[in-house]
Amino acid sequence: MTVRRPSDGTSVPAAASVTAGRRRLVALARLAGLPVLAVLLAGCGIRATEVPTNFGPAPSRVRCSLAEPDVSTQAARGLPVQVFLLCGSSLVTVDRTVRVPDGAADSERRMLVAQGLLDELAETPSSAEKEAGYSTDVRGGITVGGPGKGDPEDTLRLSTAPDSLTSYALAQIVCTFSDSAAAEGDGSVVLGGPGPESPRRYECTDEVRARPGSTEPPSKDVAGE
């Protein structure tokens, strides 16, 4: 099929005429703006591509990730320590400090560190920590004391019996203590409650750190150790 140009009477192929027409439409659309271009192209059988312009707000902080702390500043405030907080379904370490008087005897120092760790675990996470997804299941008011009669010398007696704590709180305390100066350095910690019940030796394992809600720290009775 051909079409005849009105100016000189010559004939041109129909396909060439359509192509030229489309070019004129595109040129007109450039003058009128992009919305008109989309309409004109649609009329010529060309599908307009939709380009998203709003991707939503960028995430303000990577979950379970905090900025690196200033170790020198922490050291000036006290003894640098780490505590285990909850983030998602696992335990993660967060840097803290506890105050220990200079010249404290080893046994006193151990109790002061243990109490400081408990207090830090019970502290409400900061705004930045909350934003990153951190939380704690340890409640305030728990105190710690030394061994009772017949207990191993490394026993820590809590004012709340360990078996009355939630699995999350127990995992936080066990993992925090076992990785600190409050323990004897073998990766375990001996915990007891305020009653006469024999204390137990607890361990912080990879499974406990990964699933503190469903995996309780393994423990055994220390009677006879």
Side-chain angles (χ1 to χ4, degrees):
M1 175 181 177
T2 59
V3 295
R4 185 176 301 277
R5 290 182 181 174
S7 58
D8 57 5
T10 59
S11 298
V12 295
S17 177
V18 172
T19 300
R22 287 181 179 177
R23 289 176 179 173
R24 286 195 295 273
L25 289 176
V26 171
L28 289 173
R30 286 176 180 172
L31 297 176
L34 290 178
V36 176
L37 173 62
V39 174
L40 292 175
L41 290 178
C44 293
I46 300 175
R47 180 178 298 176
T49 301
E50 294 182 2
V51 179
T53 58
N54 182 12
F55 295 92
S60 58
R61 186 180 297 278
V62 178
R63 186 169 178 80
C64 300
S65 177
L66 292 170
E68 290 294 327
D70 187 338
V71 177
S72 60
T73 302
Q74 281 196 339
R77 295 197 300 263
L79 176 69
V81 296
Q82 286 189 321
V83 299
F84 280 83
L85 297 184
L86 300 168
C87 194
S89 59
S90 61
L91 294 179
V92 292
T93 56
V94 175
D95 294 296
R96 292 282 194 270
T97 59
V98 297
R99 291 193 173 277
V100 179
D102 294 334
D106 289 344
S107 58
E108 180 187 5
R109 178 185 178 87
R110 185 164 174 265
M111 290 300 105
L112 290 171
V113 170
Q115 186 62 60
L117 292 172
L118 274 177
D119 294 341
E120 290 297 329
L121 285 171
E123 188 74 21
T124 301
S126 67
S127 298
E129 290 168 347
K130 287 181 179 179
E131 185 179 351
Y134 291 82
S135 65
T136 183
D137 217 45
V138 178
R139 299 296 172 253
I142 302 176
T143 58
V144 60
K149 185 177 180 179
D151 291 344
E153 63 179 8
D154 58 343
T155 300
L156 297 172
R157 288 267 180 183
L158 305 178
S159 60
T160 299
D163 59 7
S164 67
L165 297 170
T166 67
S167 59
Y168 290 105
L170 180 60
Q172 284 185 259
I173 292 173
V174 168
C175 289
T176 297
F177 279 176
S178 65
D179 194 38
S180 74
E184 293 299 310
D186 64 350
S188 67
V189 59
V190 180
L191 296 178
E197 294 80 8
S198 178
R200 301 183 67 83
R201 186 176 295 277
Y202 294 86
E203 294 184 23
C204 177
T205 64
D206 291 340
E207 291 76 15
V208 171
R209 287 189 288 269
R211 295 180 294 275
S214 58
T215 305
E216 291 196 354
S219 66
K220 62 179 180 179
D221 197 322
V222 297
E225 281 192 356

